Amino acid sequence: MSSPTHKPDLPKDQDEKALDMALRPVRFDEYIGQEQTKKNLSILVGAARKRKDPLEHILIHGPSGLGKTTLAYIIAKEFGAGIRITSGTALEKAGDIGSILTGLNDGDFLFIDEVHRLNKAVEETLYPAMENYQLDIIIGKGTSAKTLQVALPRFTLIAATTRISLLANPFRSRFGAQYKLEFYTHGEMKEIIRRSAKLLDVPIDEAALDILAQASRFTPRIANRLLKRLRDFAQVKDHAMLSAAVAREALALLGIDELGLEITDRKILSTIAENFQGGPAGLKSIAAAIGEEDDTIEEVYEPYLMRLGFLTRTARGRMITDEARKHLGLATISRPTLL
Ligand code: ADE
């Protein structure tokens, strides 16, 4: 008999990718958090199934690691259809998307991750495909060019992005359903880690759950990664239980503090504080000062720093807050109050 939290067969070699797949929830009722999005998606799926219609195209946005891909797999499964996974960076030419679309079956899903990285030619090939299930193939060049129209299977596009503002309006408006994933609450993070620890057979106590949840940046992908590293640590050090002391020691060794800040987070904040007198500092200047890509700072580090209230964005650049200064042990500066 299967238990309510179904336990997948863990692969014998337990390599990282296989473990990640094993931890992924496969049904809505196993997926913790994002309650409003889940409710809306259930209605969308339920209505389309009743009408025997293909699902509307879906756009999911929000910071990375919150479960956009996982939701896409769940939707396809709940719909009883196949899913093909690709990403905005993998699709270079119109022909790349053309061959994927013609290879789909009726009712299938296509998931495009990092959809803001699609180039114009691929994006424009998607327009008639999304609207009329039609592929326009241009043959020849200049005045003698002809358009050949190929009928496509009725598919549903699920697109995910961390940068919704980079999507062109005509593209964005072609998605009938749009959802924003939010950072998880502390309580939800604890439940996600509890579930993963059970699946990995890692005994973990309540205090360690709290510590790990707090260090996971409200992000399940990070929680699962840290849990695996803590499991390694406990195993090597012969600790039968992941306790608070073990969790603290392992996180310190990884260079991760109690709020989940890593060396790059600290560098971003201390650079603004010290090189730019607390800001405002331009993103590119910060990136150059710490030797990191500006996109990475914006997509990977900033959302969490802003969520913590450690960093603010103004029209003139980024500023560090007093809370961040306190956390890093930097002197807070008193700014003159303007009368
Ligand atoms: N693993 C990763 N994300 C999850 C979620 N939202 N719920 C349950 N397990 C997860």
Side-chain angles (χ1 to χ4, degrees):
M1 231 177 74
S2 68
S3 61
T5 42
H6 98 121
K7 194 159 181 162
D9 289 331
L10 288 184
K12 290 274 178 295
D13 61 352
Q14 301 212 341
D15 69 77
E16 293 278 319
K17 260 222 165 86
L19 275 184
D20 289 342
M21 288 303 285
L23 294 180
R24 202 167 249 177
V26 294
R27 295 190 314 257
F28 279 128
D29 61 7
E30 291 177 341
Y31 190 100
I32 295 158
Q34 311 295 347
E35 296 303 327
Q36 193 162 357
T37 295
K38 263 188 324 196
K39 277 186 202 149
N40 279 311
L41 275 172
S42 300
I43 291 174
L44 193 79
V45 170
R49 283 175 71 153
K50 268 198 174 155
R51 290 194 303 261
K52 298 199 166 40
D53 278 347
L55 210 54
E56 298 249 19
H57 303 299
I58 299 170
L59 179 62
I60 309 174
H61 62 108
S64 53
L66 298 190
K68 296 188 283 293
T69 311
T70 302
L71 271 181
Y73 276 111
I74 294 177
I75 295 165
K77 189 163 170 89
E78 296 265 338
F79 216 74
I83 182 163
R84 171 87 199 251
I85 309 281
T86 186
S87 120
T89 47
L91 300 167
E92 289 174 6
K93 304 183 299 294
D96 296 338
I97 187 75
S99 66
I100 289 180
L101 290 169
T102 49
L104 295 175
N105 292 316
D106 214 44
D108 273 356
F109 288 81
L110 171 63
F111 178 71
I112 306 182
D113 201 5
E114 297 192 78
V115 78
H116 59 276
R117 296 194 195 273
L118 277 185
N119 68 45
K120 263 273 155 295
V122 176
E123 187 180 312
E124 282 170 8
T125 307
L126 274 172
Y127 289 176
M130 290 171 78
E131 234 153 82
N132 306 317
Y133 307 115
Q134 172 189 315
L135 186 66
D136 292 344
I137 301 172
I138 299 161
I139 300 165
K141 282 202 173 112
T143 48
S144 63
K146 286 198 177 68
T147 308
L148 192 72
Q149 290 176 340
V150 175
L152 289 171
R154 296 196 310 166
F155 71 102
T156 295
L157 176 64
I158 305 180
T161 180
T162 49
R163 304 282 300 277
I164 184 117
S165 62
L166 296 183
L167 295 194
N169 270 333
F171 189 34
R172 211 169 137 174
S173 65
R174 283 173 163 84
F175 292 91
Q178 306 191 7
Y179 306 106
K180 179 172 192 284
L181 297 196
E182 306 286 349
F183 280 120
Y184 291 74
T185 64
H186 184 79
E188 288 164 350
M189 290 306 300
K190 275 179 78 174
E191 289 320 303
I192 289 170
I193 300 164
R194 200 190 305 278
R195 173 182 178 274
S196 297
K198 208 167 172 181
L199 292 171
L200 293 175
D201 270 328
V202 183
I204 180 167
D205 69 18
E206 209 59 29
L209 275 176
D210 263 318
I211 290 170
L212 195 46
Q214 180 125 58
S216 295
R217 308 171 77 100
F218 312 117
T219 305
R221 184 187 294 157
I222 295 177
N224 285 338
R225 191 180 72 212
L226 291 180
L227 178 65
K228 286 183 287 172
R229 296 293 73 78
L230 265 55
R231 177 178 81 146
D232 294 346
F233 184 87
Q235 202 152 25
V236 169
K237 304 267 178 182
D238 283 330
H239 296 297
M241 163 75 75
L242 239 174
S243 64
V246 176
R248 279 202 195 94
E249 208 182 328
L251 288 171
L253 191 64
L254 291 166
I256 293 169
D257 73 16
E258 70 273 23
L259 290 184
L261 298 193
E262 306 165 10
I263 206 158
T264 307
D265 300 292
R266 290 192 286 268
K267 263 203 219 160
I268 293 169
L269 295 171
S270 60
T271 300
I272 301 174
E274 284 158 8
N275 301 22
F276 300 94
Q277 289 75 50
L283 178 62
K284 286 196 190 315
S285 311
I286 301 168
I290 68 166
E292 190 58 82
E293 295 282 328
D294 49 359
D295 275 358
T296 310
I297 295 180
E298 197 166 14
E299 286 171 37
V300 179
Y301 296 99
E302 279 190 351
Y304 180 64
L305 292 174
M306 290 197 296
R307 165 71 208 256
L308 281 181
F310 280 9
L311 185 96
T312 54
R313 277 193 205 163
T314 70
R316 291 189 302 133
R318 275 66 174 166
M319 302 193 63
I320 184 175
T321 64
D322 280 350
E323 284 73 27
R325 287 178 187 276
K326 276 186 210 132
H327 181 72
L328 295 180
L330 300 168
T332 51
I333 45 168
S334 49
R335 292 172 188 277
T337 335
L338 296 176
L339 293 175

